[in-house]
Amino acid sequence: MFSEACSVYFFLVIVSFLVSCSSSNSVDSVIYGGCSQTKYAPASPYGSNVNSLLSSLVNSAAISKFNNFKVSLPGSAPYDVVYGLFQCRGDLNPSGCRDCVSHSVSRLGNLCPGVTGGVLQLDGCLVKYDNVSFVGVEDKAVVFKKCGPSNGYDPELSNHRDAVLGYLTGVGQYFRAGGSGKVQGVAQCVQDLSVTECQDCLGDATESLRTECESAAWGDMFLAKCYVRYSDHAHHLRNNDPNELTDKTLAILIGLITGVILIIILLSGFSRLCDDQKDGK
């Protein structure tokens, strides 16, 4: 009886663990974040405006992949106005976009408590707010960069990478994704930029990426208003498809359930055998 109880408990632990794993994916992975140095009083009009803004961002993300707001509730002074925006990765569906923005807003509350401005870039979305208007302002400052391990001298891989980067900077869209050979890439601009400003931003990001990650297997270059990322298949982009992750987790779960059931059956049979031997004595 004890063996069966332990087996059932082990089974439930495995199921609980896998279900919790299947609910998380790289969309929520943090790329970078930052907070302003200025604080505000929690009960101040500005604090109320911040809370209203962040709620508006989450609600809007259920129907749009980009939006920006200027919030000034009744009773607010001109210096209490708060500006903010969100943008989701171009391949996310509405529910994925809303979930990402919701998680980002929640994390911002812990990352930047009581400050006048904050920004958080997750793998799947960007959220930013401030007391100074930044919407529609071109900003090409490098905020995050990272390169993978070197591939050494590999002219074929370099050619494919250059082809991908050329495509990403040559298509007049806010979100672009493409591949060449073993290399895949993705690029995106914040949609408060014009198409011309977007091209300009991506051009700078690509040039920096080529310089900083010259022979790297993968590279990420995030400017304040755009980003470019590439990776070869061996070090695939850390943008795993949530559906693919769910399918893999489900397959593992089914396999483990089958195995645990077999163990329970074997333990049950062993327990009965022991009982029969005791009765025989």
Side-chain angles (χ1 to χ4, degrees), residues 43-67:
S44 66
Y46 187 83
S48 299
N49 288 338
V50 169
N51 292 334
S52 177
L53 170 80
L54 295 178
S55 295
S56 297
L57 296 180
V58 174
N59 292 334
S60 181
I63 57 175
S64 174
K65 293 181 180 179
F66 167 80
N67 211 342

Side-chain angles (χ1 to χ4, degrees), residues 16-89:
S16 175
F17 173 74
L18 286 175
V19 169
S20 66
C21 286
S22 67
S23 64
S24 64
N25 53 67
S26 66
V27 172
D28 294 331
S29 299
V30 176
I31 305 297
Y32 68 85
C35 313
S36 67
Q37 299 299 311
T38 311
K39 289 185 172 288
Y40 63 84
S44 66
Y46 187 83
S48 299
N49 288 338
V50 169
N51 292 334
S52 177
L53 170 80
L54 295 178
S55 295
S56 297
L57 296 180
V58 174
N59 292 334
S60 181
I63 57 175
S64 174
K65 293 181 180 179
F66 167 80
N67 211 342
N68 66 87
F69 294 90
K70 173 184 175 182
V71 176
S72 179
L73 298 177
S76 299
Y79 52 79
D80 291 323
V81 178
V82 59
Y83 307 86
L85 61 75
F86 77 89
Q87 175 159 286
C88 290
R89 206 174 63 207

Side-chain angles (χ1 to χ4, degrees), residues 116-134:
T116 57
V119 59
L120 186 60
Q121 173 76 64
L122 301 186
D123 202 281
C125 62
L126 167 72
V127 172
K128 182 177 181 179
Y129 72 93
D130 205 345
N131 61 343
V132 177
S133 179
F134 58 89

Side-chain angles (χ1 to χ4, degrees), residues 86-184:
F86 77 89
Q87 175 159 286
C88 290
R89 206 174 63 207
D91 57 349
L92 288 187
N93 58 36
S95 63
C97 179
R98 187 187 186 283
D99 288 346
C100 186
V101 173
S102 178
H103 294 157
S104 181
V105 166
S106 178
R107 291 183 181 183
L108 264 176
N110 297 323
L111 179 68
C112 306
V115 299
T116 57
V119 59
L120 186 60
Q121 173 76 64
L122 301 186
D123 202 281
C125 62
L126 167 72
V127 172
K128 182 177 181 179
Y129 72 93
D130 205 345
N131 61 343
V132 177
S133 179
F134 58 89
V135 178
V137 178
E138 192 173 10
D139 187 351
K140 297 187 289 184
V142 176
V143 292
F144 177 82
K145 60 183 178 181
K146 192 170 185 180
C147 306
S150 175
N151 276 326
Y153 180 68
D154 190 336
E156 181 180 1
L157 202 60
S158 295
N159 289 337
H160 286 307
R161 185 200 65 171
D162 290 344
V164 169
L165 295 180
Y167 168 76
L168 294 177
T169 55
V171 181
Q173 299 173 347
Y174 288 106
F175 176 77
R176 314 109 187 259
S180 175
K182 297 180 179 180
V183 181
Q184 296 177 330

